[in-house]
Amino acid sequence: MNYFEHIPPIGYRGPECDEPFAFRHYDPDRVLDGKPLRDHLRFAVCYWHNFCWEGTDIFGEGTFLRPWHQLSDPMESARAKMDAAFDFMSLLGVPFWTFHDSDIAPAGESWRATRDNLERMVDYAERKMADTGLRLLWGTANLFSHRRYMAGAATNPDPQVFACAAGQIQKALEITHRLGGENYVMWGGREGYETLLNTDLRREQEQLGRMLCMTVDYKHKLGFDGPILIEPKPQEPTKHQYDYDVATIYGLLTRFGLEGEVKVNIEVNHATLAGHSFHHEIAMAQALGLFGSVDANRGDYQNGWDTDQYPNSVDELVMPCYEILRHGGFTSGGFNFDTKLRRQSVAPEDLFHAHIGAMDILALTWEKAAALLASGSLDDARTARYESWGGELGQPILGGDHDLESLAAVVVRDDLQPEPVSGQQELLENRVNAVIHSR
Ligand code: XUL
Ligand code: CO
């Protein structure tokens, strides 16, 4: 079966090209600041939305009718799905992929059978990765789809469910390590509550802390040197999720002594669901030393849920990209497209149009963000704004040489009457727009 037989490999053809199966901005070999764009952007295709999801929604059946979903033998179907996935990713020319354990292998009658199926599919993936050169950005365990996890995985009231989740994490981390994964992701879609009427908040958060500590311990035992990344999301599917946003995760990590061990995977549409901008979440993660990776997508301004659409706006992405670049760019992370087609986009070609557009927009944005950084205009303004903290009043305050009484004495002695200074927001917005709209 060759589902994408009629599609050519996607290459860079330049901004004037109007051929749909080509990149207009993403030239993977173009060197920017000594590094090819491929290594700056570190694009990854996600397995679940593209190859597992059948185009269902809560009211409607699957619309995609992918051939690998029509096969009756589950392992044959898993192999056909993996063939299609690797064909797609090779034609698209992304360097990385991402998956959940249950995306790549079917569950068996017992845990032993499930783990055997997974092992066989990992063997298959290992060969495909060697043949195509594709690498694994991250792996993860699906601890939210099966009905046993309806009341949480780590935060479940039943310790047997906690144990099942631990077993899945153990195996998923082991196979991520075996496949050379660069990170391991934990998204806690069911780690939260539907109602406080039946929930012991303190206990559930302690259970979550225990699972995180066990995961970090096992990572060290395995010798896996990539970071564990928690992916914040405030709600959906659960009414309230404990990994609400970056700042909340920081609180959990310090509570359980895991600072320095765990970072974050920030998803655009999760940031906006939390009432933040994507820029805010990136900046907060950088400020707290937690930045790891990005699930690149976008929401819909009219909908209050996670629509997981493909990124398509330079204006919306330029400041987040600038924020990533300002702190040195990606290390182990990258841009993973945690994105799904609209349900009416039933043609195989639609998977290409979606990813080509997203990769082009991010490549263009990255160049604009690099130009903004190189111009120094925002950094200069920011440095100037805080300059007096380096002076004779600011230094001793920060150094701990003052207390409230000594500062009160300084205020009275020098009769301090500080003059407000312009924050220059509009000027700075104009500077950003000048870079976005320059040729
Ligand atoms: C759900 C979501 C997940 C994680 C991995 O909103 O983003 O797909 O990225 O479990
Ligand atoms: Co995600």
Side-chain angles (χ1 to χ4, degrees), residues 48 100 138 140 144 185 187 231 233 267 270 295 306 338:
W48 51 101
H100 299 82
W138 49 261
T140 186
F144 45 87
V185 163
W187 171 64
E231 184 173 321
K233 188 174 183 182
E267 179 161 324
H270 297 180
D295 271 9
D306 195 11
D338 190 352

Side-chain angles (χ1 to χ4, degrees), residues 217-233:
D217 287 346
Y218 184 61
K219 163 199 137 131
H220 289 305
K221 184 168 179 204
L222 265 180
F224 178 74
D225 54 15
I228 305 286
L229 305 178
I230 299 183
E231 184 173 321
K233 188 174 183 182

Side-chain angles (χ1 to χ4, degrees), residues 218-275:
Y218 184 61
K219 163 199 137 131
H220 289 305
K221 184 168 179 204
L222 265 180
F224 178 74
D225 54 15
I228 305 286
L229 305 178
I230 299 183
E231 184 173 321
K233 188 174 183 182
Q235 69 266 320
E236 199 220 18
T238 307
K239 172 191 160 66
H240 174 94
Q241 280 153 219
Y242 299 135
D243 304 329
Y244 201 94
D245 59 3
V246 170
T248 310
I249 287 176
Y250 184 72
L252 281 174
L253 294 180
T254 45
R255 177 169 164 198
F256 298 110
L258 292 170
E259 326 84 286
E261 294 282 5
V262 177
K263 294 181 176 170
V264 288
N265 181 40
I266 300 173
E267 179 161 324
V268 183
N269 207 168
H270 297 180
T272 51
L273 284 178

Side-chain angles (χ1 to χ4, degrees), residues 55-69:
T56 52
D57 69 12
I58 47 171
F59 295 103
E61 62 187 12
T63 54
F64 296 152
L65 305 181
R66 307 285 189 215
W68 51 92
H69 286 137

